[in-house]
Amino acid sequence: MDDEYAKLIRRVNQPRVVIDNNACEDATVIQVDSVNKHGILLEVVQVLTDMNLTIRKAYIASDGGWFMDVFNVVDNDGNKIRDKEIIDYIQRRIETSAGFVPSQRGSVGVMPSEEHTSIELAGTDRPGLLSEVCAVLADLRCNVVNAEIWTHNTRAAAVVHVTDDSTGCAITDPKRLLMIKDLLCNVLKGNDDLKTAKTMLSAPGVMHRERRLHQIMFADRDYERVEKTGVRAVEERSSKPQVNLLNIEKDYTVITMRAKDRPKLLFDIICTLTDMQYVVFHGMVNTTRMDANQEFYIRHVDGLPISSEAERVRVIQCLEAAIERRASEGLELELCTEDRLGLLSDITRIFRENSLCIKRALISTKGDRPECAAGET
């Protein structure tokens, strides 16, 4: 009954999105007013980051039953959003996301698709791992449509969308799916089985890829620090993001963070807090030319602030990991060429043969042309 009442309230009080280019001199201001629900902040931030908008400032207020947020955003070139079609699209996307009432039993971020098979991988990172994975997929006649690979703290995670090379559609044969899963799992295990490698297949299926990567790495406990010594330990401490927690009156835990600014930083932080079952009631984001300062007043979904030292340490570790996963300090290489079966296997083999480690990769295809960006070697 309570769930049906909540749905009625949301239908009566539809989200309101105002996009204003006059309120701020150097950014487009997006104001969102909506009935509050768990996860709504992530949904709004996800829309903005999916549009490749940079959030320069944000003011968050969702105490009580109403959600009122203001975002100052610019495009990739640092300019205001002037195109009316883009403005209308952003408005529709936010209103749809904020007004959507999810099923209690639905999986987060999962939508049906007949176009491809989704493969999720998690395991211990090592030189040449991506090359071996791509070689297995090529041998099994699986064409990679798009993929994203992250590595952090000796762990590796990937979400890969593949099609059957002969049909161009999702792979649905249970025996073939089982063979793909078993062979990829053997590759991920390698000679080091300290942590169990994981391979998951869904046919058909598609999800918000970046959120799923955060969930995979979180489940794989990549936030647990591997002790380093010497120069690397000093460099790691100097570049480490600053995350502090403090409990105050009115039963809030205040999180303050300072880190090097980069695209999608706010999404990564809000995604992690949401998946850890914390609710942001108030917040502020302010970026400078180099740094991002963020402050959030949070509670757990049960209404309580962080109450133990173990929980405090775990939240700090998880937020640090969320900030670091997408950060790249190495050489970024962009490739674009005609697509063919086994292309990724050939490209990644060249990296391996030249003793280059791929720390992060983004692969996509448009028609018969793949676009591949591999970062940090």
Side-chain angles (χ1 to χ4, degrees):
M1 183 65 69
D2 290 341
D3 186 44
E4 292 302 316
Y5 179 72
K7 291 180 181 179
L8 176 62
I9 292 296
R10 292 192 186 104
R11 291 192 184 103
V12 172
N13 298 280
Q14 290 296 313
R16 186 170 72 95
V17 179
V18 177
I19 301 178
D20 188 351
N21 270 317
N22 299 318
C24 180
E25 183 179 345
D26 57 359
T28 298
V29 178
I30 301 177
Q31 180 175 330
V32 183
D33 298 332
S34 173
V35 173
N36 195 17
K37 63 173 182 176
H38 181 54
I40 187 173
L41 175 59
L42 175 59
E43 291 168 4
V44 173
V45 172
Q46 183 173 299
V47 170
L48 298 179
T49 54
D50 284 349
M51 294 293 295
N52 291 320
L53 300 178
T54 299
I55 299 172
R56 285 189 170 174
K57 292 184 179 180
Y59 306 93
I60 299 161
S62 59
D63 217 341
W66 204 254
F67 172 88
M68 295 175 286
D69 286 13
V70 178
F71 302 91
N72 289 17
V73 304
V74 294
D75 63 17
N76 280 334
D77 298 320
N79 301 318
K80 291 184 178 183
I81 316 303
R82 301 286 189 183
D83 191 308
K84 190 176 186 307
E85 289 188 6
I86 295 177
I87 290 174
D88 292 342
Y89 180 76
I90 293 170
Q91 187 165 5
R92 289 196 305 271
R93 280 283 309 274
I94 293 177
E95 288 175 346
T96 301
S97 297
F100 176 66
V101 182
S103 167
Q104 292 282 328
R105 55 186 287 274
S107 299
V108 175
V110 176
M111 298 180 296
S113 170
E114 298 290 340
E115 297 178 355
H116 55 252
T117 299
S118 179
I119 303 174
E120 298 177 1
L121 307 171
T124 302
D125 189 27
R126 68 176 188 274
L129 176 60
L130 181 57
S131 175
E132 294 176 37
V133 168
C134 292
V136 167
L137 292 175
D139 287 344
L140 293 172
R141 310 294 296 179
C142 297
N143 189 47
V144 177
V145 178
N146 56 68
E148 190 158 358
I149 299 94
W150 290 359
T151 65
H152 176 249
N153 201 19
T154 75
R155 308 303 296 162
V159 175
V160 185
H161 294 164
V162 301
T163 58
D164 188 325
D165 182 55
S166 61
T167 65
C169 299
I171 300 167
T172 57
D173 178 36
K175 291 183 178 178
R176 189 176 176 192
L177 290 172
L178 182 60
M179 179 186 295
I180 293 171
K181 182 175 180 179
D182 289 344
L183 291 176
L184 287 176
C185 203
N186 288 337
V187 169
L188 289 171
K189 287 180 180 179
N191 297 322
D192 182 7
D193 197 20
L194 296 177
K195 288 191 176 182
T196 304
K198 300 173 185 175
T199 304
M200 292 181 61
L201 301 176
S202 59
V206 67
M207 65 209 71
H208 190 273
R209 192 169 58 203
E210 293 167 349
R211 183 172 187 188
R212 188 66 192 127
L213 282 165
H214 276 299
Q215 292 173 340
I216 293 170
M217 298 209 89
F218 174 76
D220 207 27
R221 305 176 73 90
D222 75 312
Y223 52 84
E224 294 180 342
R225 289 282 169 184
V226 175
E227 292 298 326
K228 297 177 182 178
T229 59
V231 176
R232 292 195 65 183
V234 174
E235 291 176 348
E236 185 177 272
R237 284 194 293 270
S238 64
S239 62
K240 192 176 177 181
Q242 300 174 19
V243 182
N244 297 295
L245 270 66
L246 176 67
N247 280 8
I248 63 169
E249 296 181 3
K250 295 187 178 179
D251 296 329
Y252 291 114
T253 296
V254 182
I255 301 176
T256 57
M257 285 170 283
R258 183 172 183 175
K260 183 179 178 181
D261 193 27
R262 60 166 175 77
K264 302 188 179 183
L265 178 61
L266 180 59
F267 169 81
D268 294 337
I269 290 168
I270 299 300
C271 180
T272 298
L273 289 172
T274 303
D275 287 337
M276 292 182 73
Q277 299 297 300
Y278 290 102
V279 180
V280 176
F281 288 90
H282 303 280
M284 180 277 297
V285 176
N286 188 29
T287 64
T288 62
R289 191 171 64 89
M290 294 294 294
D291 296 327
N293 297 287
Q294 305 189 29
E295 181 178 83
F296 301 111
Y297 290 68
I298 69 164
R299 294 181 195 143
H300 197 266
V301 289
D302 61 9
L304 298 176
I306 293 173
S307 57
S308 70
E309 178 63 17
E311 184 182 7
R312 189 188 74 85
V313 170
R314 182 168 177 265
V315 170
I316 290 175
Q317 288 178 335
C318 291
L319 289 173
E320 289 174 346
I323 294 169
E324 293 170 348
R325 284 171 192 146
R326 209 195 292 261
S328 292
E329 299 295 337
L331 172 69
E332 182 175 296
L333 177 65
E334 294 187 4
L335 303 171
C336 185
T337 186
E338 291 186 7
D339 195 16
R340 60 175 172 79
L341 181 67
L343 176 63
L344 278 178
S345 177
D346 293 341
I347 292 172
T348 53
R349 186 181 67 250
I350 292 172
F351 282 116
R352 185 188 65 197
E353 291 174 348
N354 287 275
S355 302
L356 297 175
C357 296
I358 298 174
K359 292 299 182 182
R360 198 159 56 88
L362 176 63
I363 297 114
S364 62
T365 56
K366 292 182 180 179
D368 61 350
R369 296 182 69 85
E371 296 179 353
C372 174
E376 193 172 348
T377 59

